[in-house]
Amino acid sequence: MKESIQLDRNFFSQNTLSVARNLIGMRLVRLEAGKRISGLIIETEAYRGEMDLGCHAKTGMTQRNRVMYGVPGHAYIYFTYGMHWMLNIVTEEEGFPAAVLIRAIHLQEGDDIVKLRRGNQPGKNWCNGPGKICQALKITGVFNGVDCCESHSPLFVESNSGEPFLHFSVTTSPRVGLFKVPEPWKSIAWRFVARAENNLKLN
DNA sequence: AGCACGATTAACT
DNA sequence: GTTAATCGTGCTC
């Protein structure tokens, strides 16, 4: 019998590219005032190590990026462009800075709450960007560093008995928004996107 | 100074 | 219906 199981630290301690790929089809869950807001992860990006010049860790440890150097499975959340929060989950072994950026989800629960925050936009635009997810699920810097592998965490990821809830076919492409980043990092295909087939109506 | 972005607008097909 | 261009915003380094 299949059941929803919270992803554990072992999952996130794997290579960042594997984690980014394997998160596709898993379910991101936000517990807010006892209610669940959740959705299937359909787009991620890998950021891996100080040598990756697209990664925040390229300058070494700073106040902002220090949780990326910590224990895998923790949330690395930062603020950018003056208005947007971004959600990442830390990967690989402690001391090696790496994380997966959650870029898009397909909403499954809590659409009544999300509508209050994103209702000024059509439903297809509610969670199809990293800043939009954080607005929809009310994820802000107060969750920076929370352990997504702890029980009763306000933020975690579920599998379907260790499997994704949907087996998407996945395409890769360069990461988004790295304008001034040198090659090969600018073009390396570390972005993972679920293909919009599988009769999954993206609203 | 430079962002791991999003909403709007303006051109397209 | 889509794609391209623009720029607000405030925090980090």
Side-chain angles (χ1 to χ4, degrees), chain A residues 27 38-42 104-109 127 166 168 200-203:
Chain A
R27 182 191 284 136
S38 75
L40 300 187
I41 297 172
I42 55 176
I105 65 174
H106 175 72
L107 202 60
Q108 289 189 315
E109 300 172 277
C127 294
L166 254 178
F168 295 95
L200 213 193
K201 207 168 56 166
L202 298 177
N203 275 5

Side-chain angles (χ1 to χ4, degrees), chain A residues 4-14 19 23 26-27 71-74 89-92 147-151 155-159 161-162:
Chain A
S4 297
I5 302 176
Q6 183 174 8
L7 291 185
D8 62 16
R9 206 170 314 288
N10 181 59
F11 179 92
F12 295 105
S13 66
Q14 309 294 120
V19 176
L23 277 173
M26 302 296 191
R27 182 191 284 136
V71 175
H74 287 241
I89 303 181
V90 176
T91 56
E92 309 211 23
D147 186 355
C148 301
C149 300
E150 194 175 68
S151 53
L155 201 55
F156 59 95
V157 185
E158 283 177 349
S159 72
S161 292

Side-chain angles (χ1 to χ4, degrees), chain A residues 47-62 64-65 68-69 76 97-98 175 177-182 185:
Chain A
Y47 290 88
R48 184 171 192 276
E50 295 181 346
M51 66 291 292
D52 172 7
L53 296 181
C55 179
H56 285 164
K58 67 186 173 193
T59 54
M61 198 192 301
T62 65
R64 176 171 70 161
N65 68 22
M68 255 205 298
Y69 286 77
Y76 168 45
R175 295 173 291 183
L178 276 47
F179 297 103
K180 218 192 123 210
V181 173
W185 310 108

Side-chain angles (χ1 to χ4, degrees), chain A residues 13 15 29 55 84 103-104 192 199:
Chain A
S13 66
N15 179 283
V29 183
C55 179
H84 303 302
R103 288 193 58 89
F192 299 84
N199 67 12

Side-chain angles (χ1 to χ4, degrees), chain A residues 1 16 42 68 74 80 92 95 100 103 111 127 139 144 176:
Chain A
M1 165 171 159
T16 308
I42 55 176
M68 255 205 298
H74 287 241
T80 192
E92 309 211 23
V100 173
R103 288 193 58 89
D111 54 305
C127 294
I139 297 168
N144 188 35
V176 172

